[in-house]
Amino acid sequence: MDETRSGPTLSAASSGTATRSASPLPAENDTPPKASNRSKQGGRLGDDGVVNEVEKQPSEGRGRTPGTRDHGQQQRKRLSFSPDRRPWPERSTVYQFRPFRGMITDVRKRLPFYLSDWTEAFRPRNWERTMGATIRIYFLNLFPALAYTIDMNLRTGGSYGVNETLLASVLAALVFSVLSVQPLTIVGVTGLINLFNYTTYDILERQPDAPNFLQFQAWALIWSAITHWIIAVFNISDYTRFITDMTSETFGLYVGVIYIQKGVELLVYEFDASDQAGWFSVVVAILFALSVYLLERTATLSFGPFWLRKCVTDYAFAAGIVFYTGFVHIPGHIKETGIDFLQVTRAFHPSTDRSWVIRFWDLPVKWIFVALPFGCLITLLFYFDNNVSSVMAQSRGFPVKRPAGFHWDFFLLGCVTFVAGILGLPAPNGLVPQAPVHTEALCVVKMVPEDTKLTEGGFYDEEEEEDGAIEKRWEEKAPPKMKVVRIRLVEQRISHFVMGLLTLGTMTGPLLVTLSLMSRAMFAGIFIVVGWGSVQGNGIVHKTLFLLRDHHLTPRDHALLQVRPKTIWLFVGIQWLFFTAIVAISETIAGIGFPVIITLLIPFRYYWVPRWFSLQELSVLDAPTADSAATLVSLGGPLQPEHGHSDFFHKHRDDEEASLSEPMHQDDRTLRKRTTPSASSKDEVMTRL
């Protein structure tokens, strides 16, 4: 296939499939142009991804004026969609790796929404959700990062402290809230970079001529930033489209277990002072974890008004931190236990006696090049971690309507990584589970009858419900049994931006003093409750429990009953195998290689798994983590058939492409519901079964 056919100048007069693919859905009050007319008039898709049509000069007898023609052209110019409308396998390598293609598309897609991204939060119907999400994500982002700081400080010779972690979080939050394409994705200091940092420190300490750790880290992050930019420029983030639940669930379970493990390790450290301090720390950690866990489940109960339960859920984490900060200072036996507290330093100063700028130019040349493979491993980790975090923040369970931007955001992450290396900070990247929790906190929920029709993602589309339909059901019969569903998502930048400002304020003297009053035992509890949230809701755990459950007590309409138990065992066994391998290597000196195993999940799922499972089985056991048109527009367009199962999806391809070509308006209320490929495939599977 030559480059011309693969480029964005696809003629509408091509094959029938190409013609249908290049046909944008009309905007409201627009007259849909006919494909045959476009072919005759030379309609084409321009390099900017916008349909450009050349119309003939209308005859005077038809009563059309040049002004009318210009107005019609301006209306059609607003119809934009993915630059290349052909299926993924038909695109040439030249097109796929065309420099800056993805970055330019990402920015162009999101730019019309940029102003409303800032103003949307202040609309009367949105401010309450925005405020609740801001407070929740501030505490959920900051305090796990501080908990990891305790571990990093102990295991890297004090190289990283509270101020380094705070500044890294501020840098990431402010940059991504202002400049990123997708501000829903929360970026900060993660447990995986903590693991990578102290493993690197252990390796360097074993060398006879060990270099300065922060200088070496600076060069590792500089190399990593360069490879970030290469990946972004050449559109390699497109391969994120192949991430499915099999991959994201395995990674999510690993992250959750690492959180819990670190919580237990912090409690073990507390026994160094005394047994009394150690056991009291265990009590504080368990009490904190149980209190926050039970409070966050308030929304699922039936006691009290719904708005109150939702409010308790939003502020449960913050309330737990405030209460247990003071609890350990109660006079008497509690205060005399001698537990340890968070160590802080001067406001806005590094934790060690150094300047903020690392003298990376003093590192011997030998170690500069030794840092190269370390930088590549960091890039591999961030490629998976950041993109999975972004995908999970825009997963099919959330009503996301504004376009994503994986390429531009990964380029931006490279810039943040570069600055973090120069300043001697732990490199921030996408956070799991904080990113999807942020999206969840921004979702507006509603109580609807249990038989209400939901979308493929499991949320309720108010625009499709007839006016007063729910009220009519109440009038026709007794009040139905209700359930809580998501109805829309407040997509804005304010919560992320304000979180960054609050974190910056935390670096001031008075708030650092407040942090110093917090016990390390409470941070252990934070690890446990956040980690348990990832484990409890994980699909691997649910499938495993299904297999162990008494089948006489299993609902007859359970989706997994469509698949043979041994098939489920094989699928879950693969996930447990990868999970075990990642955890095992993380506990050794070879732990810096764990990003390789994590990333191998993507090609393994795409190439090998379809050979062992039928498409019908995969449609029940697995699904794309994100399949909305708004997300896929940044990843090369609509989803394609499963590897080796092209015939099954062939008849859905035109509908999928048409869904992505729907115009995006500045006011996302006018966006119509898009049909996702997974919805079509699952309907087909259910019909066959």
Side-chain angles (χ1 to χ4, degrees):
M1 184 176 296
D2 58 20
E3 181 182 353
T4 304
R5 286 183 56 82
S6 300
T9 57
L10 178 62
S11 172
S14 304
S15 64
T17 301
T19 303
R20 288 190 298 272
S21 301
S23 303
L25 297 180
E28 293 183 5
N29 301 325
D30 282 353
T31 301
K34 296 181 179 179
S36 59
N37 290 340
R38 284 200 309 274
S39 300
K40 294 177 182 179
Q41 295 167 0
R44 61 186 292 274
L45 180 62
D47 293 338
D48 58 353
V50 178
V51 174
N52 301 315
E53 298 197 19
V54 181
E55 296 188 357
K56 295 181 180 180
Q57 183 73 17
S59 61
E60 296 180 2
R62 294 185 180 180
R64 294 185 61 186
T65 64
T68 304
R69 183 184 72 249
D70 294 341
H71 176 68
Q73 288 179 334
Q74 291 175 1
Q75 285 183 319
R76 282 187 288 273
K77 285 283 285 185
R78 291 199 304 267
L79 307 182
S80 61
F81 47 93
S82 183
D84 193 322
R85 306 302 308 138
R86 282 164 300 167
W88 176 282
E90 296 180 13
R91 300 177 183 178
S92 71
T93 303
V94 174
Y95 173 80
Q96 174 57 39
F97 299 107
R98 179 177 296 168
F100 300 102
R101 171 183 59 81
M103 292 173 60
I104 293 173
T105 300
D106 288 347
V107 174
R108 282 179 173 172
K109 288 290 181 183
R110 190 72 184 205
L111 200 56
F113 296 91
Y114 189 77
L115 180 60
S116 62
D117 279 344
W118 292 101
T119 59
E120 192 72 15
F122 299 104
R123 297 177 64 181
R125 67 173 189 162
N126 293 336
W127 69 267
E128 184 271 336
R129 276 293 86 226
T130 304
M131 183 176 67
T134 302
I135 300 300
R136 186 176 182 182
I137 202 60
Y138 165 72
F139 282 90
L140 194 59
N141 175 47
L142 176 63
F143 287 91
L146 292 176
Y148 275 119
T149 301
I150 298 173
D151 191 49
M152 270 196 296
N153 188 267
L154 291 172
R155 303 184 68 165
T156 61
S159 300
Y160 298 117
V162 170
N163 285 356
E164 283 81 5
T165 298
L166 290 175
L167 186 57
S169 300
V170 170
L171 173 67
L174 295 183
V175 168
F176 273 81
S177 63
V178 175
L179 299 177
S180 72
V181 170
Q182 182 49 273
L184 292 176
T185 305
I186 299 298
V187 179
V189 178
T190 69
L192 300 185
I193 196 62
N194 167 45
L195 170 62
F196 194 94
N197 287 344
Y198 69 66
T199 305
T200 302
Y201 182 84
D202 291 342
I203 292 174
L204 295 179
E205 284 297 299
R206 299 185 180 192
Q207 307 306 312
D209 56 340
N212 179 276
F213 173 67
L214 289 179
Q215 290 179 355
F216 183 87
Q217 278 290 91
W219 274 105
L221 294 180
I222 290 172
W223 287 120
S224 179
I226 294 172
T227 49
H228 272 73
W229 297 331
I230 293 173
I231 287 174
V233 168
F234 291 99
N235 319 305
I236 300 176
S237 289
D238 270 348
Y239 295 95
T240 304
R241 66 190 287 110
F242 299 117
I243 293 177
T244 67
D245 288 347
M246 184 182 202
T247 305
S248 57
E249 287 172 359
T250 305
F251 180 68
L253 182 62
Y254 169 68
V255 171
V257 169
I258 289 296
Y259 266 88
I260 296 174
Q261 176 189 343
K262 292 302 176 184
V264 174
E265 287 181 1
L266 280 185
L267 293 177
V268 172
Y269 293 150
E270 296 304 303
F271 283 90
D272 293 341
S274 67
D275 288 348
Q276 177 180 264
W279 286 114
F280 181 66
S281 297
V282 171
V283 171
V284 171
I286 293 176
L287 286 176
F288 176 88
L290 286 176
S291 301
V292 173
Y293 174 76
L294 294 175
L295 285 174
E296 287 186 339
R297 291 183 60 84
T298 302
T300 64
L301 303 178
S302 57
F303 302 101
F306 178 67
W307 66 266
L308 179 60
R309 286 181 277 139
K310 181 61 178 172
C311 182
V312 171
T313 300
D314 286 339
Y315 299 101
F317 196 80
I321 289 175
V322 172
F323 177 80
Y324 283 97
T325 296
F327 175 76
V328 296
H329 293 280
I330 295 177
H333 294 297
I334 290 180
K335 192 172 183 179
E336 294 172 358
T337 53
I339 61 175
D340 290 329
F341 296 91
L342 184 66
Q343 299 296 316
V344 299
T345 55
R346 289 188 301 164
F348 299 105
H349 283 75
S351 299
T352 57
D353 186 18
R354 66 174 180 88
S355 65
W356 274 118
V357 178
I358 300 296
R359 298 178 62 87
F360 61 93
W361 54 86
D362 289 339
L363 188 69
V365 175
K366 164 191 169 181
W367 292 106
I368 291 176
F369 288 97
V370 171
L372 174 58
F374 286 79
C376 292
L377 287 173
I378 293 174
T379 300
L380 200 60
L381 169 63
F382 284 9
Y383 177 83
F384 188 92
D385 195 3
N386 191 76
N387 285 329
V388 167
S389 301
S390 187
V391 166
M392 293 177 71
Q394 305 168 77
S395 65
R396 62 184 181 276
F398 300 123
V400 179
K401 293 185 177 181
R402 300 194 174 194
F406 290 85
H407 307 282
W408 173 261
D409 288 355
F410 201 71
F411 173 82
L412 208 59
L413 183 64
C415 298
V416 172
T417 301
F418 181 86
V419 175
I422 300 300
L423 298 181
L425 310 176
N429 70 302
L431 293 172
V432 175
Q434 286 88 337
V437 169
H438 179 227
T439 308
E440 171 67 34
L442 288 169
C443 284
V444 178
V445 296
K446 182 177 182 178
M447 296 186 68
V448 299
E450 206 167 51
D451 60 348
T452 301
K453 183 180 179 181
L454 302 179
T455 66
E456 172 70 16
F459 51 87
Y460 171 64
D461 193 341
E462 283 187 309
E463 296 179 1
E464 291 197 345
E465 185 77 38
E466 296 180 5
D467 293 339
I470 293 180
E471 288 74 9
K472 290 179 182 177
R473 286 184 235 176
W474 280 73
E475 296 173 358
E476 293 172 358
K477 55 184 179 180
K481 189 175 181 180
M482 308 294 284
K483 63 181 177 181
V484 179
V485 296
R486 306 182 186 106
I487 59 173
R488 62 183 178 86
L489 174 64
V490 183
E491 299 184 63
Q492 42 73 51
R493 297 176 183 269
I494 294 297
S495 60
H496 201 166
F497 181 73
V498 174
M499 182 201 76
L501 294 181
L502 290 174
T503 307
L504 180 62
T506 310
M507 294 184 67
T508 59
L511 289 181
L512 284 177
V513 172
T514 303
L515 291 181
S516 68
L517 300 176
M518 297 180 178
S519 65
R520 299 202 311 190
M522 185 185 71
F523 286 101
I526 290 173
F527 270 139
I528 294 171
V529 72
V530 173
W532 179 249
S534 291
V535 173
Q536 180 193 28
N538 192 273
I540 301 176
V541 175
H542 288 177
K543 292 184 183 73
T544 304
L545 292 177
F546 168 82
L547 292 169
L548 299 176
R549 183 184 302 153
D550 184 348
H551 286 274
H552 293 93
L553 302 178
T554 302
R556 294 297 91 191
D557 59 347
H558 199 292
L560 291 178
L561 290 176
Q562 303 171 36
V563 183
R564 293 174 299 175
K566 68 177 183 179
T567 302
I568 303 175
W569 275 117
L570 176 60
F571 187 87
V572 175
I574 293 172
Q575 292 180 293
W576 280 115
L577 180 63
F578 269 93
F579 165 78
T580 305
I582 299 170
V583 172
I585 195 174
S586 299
E587 298 302 314
T588 67
I589 195 65
I592 59 170
F594 77 91
V596 177
I597 299 179
I598 293 176
T599 309
L600 283 176
L601 277 167
I602 300 177
F604 181 85
R605 167 61 182 87
Y606 181 71
Y607 287 106
W608 281 280
V609 169
R611 301 179 182 181
W612 302 334
F613 301 89
S614 69
L615 184 60
Q616 288 84 353
E617 292 167 341
L618 287 177
S619 67
V620 176
L621 296 172
D622 199 15
T625 301
D627 58 10
S628 71
T631 303
L632 294 174
V633 72
S634 177
L635 298 175
L639 292 172
Q640 298 303 318
E642 281 280 2
H643 186 65
H645 296 291
S646 58
D647 293 340
F648 184 81
F649 278 79
H650 181 74
K651 71 187 186 67
H652 299 296
R653 186 175 66 185
D654 295 339
D655 292 337
E656 295 167 10
E657 292 175 342
S659 71
L660 190 61
S661 66
E662 184 174 350
M664 290 191 174
H665 301 270
Q666 290 192 16
D667 188 348
D668 61 347
R669 289 177 300 174
T670 63
L671 288 172
R672 287 165 286 180
K673 178 179 176 290
R674 296 171 171 84
T675 302
T676 61
S678 61
S680 303
S681 62
K682 287 190 176 181
D683 289 342
E684 179 78 12
V685 170
M686 294 301 296
T687 301
R688 291 191 176 190
L689 292 175

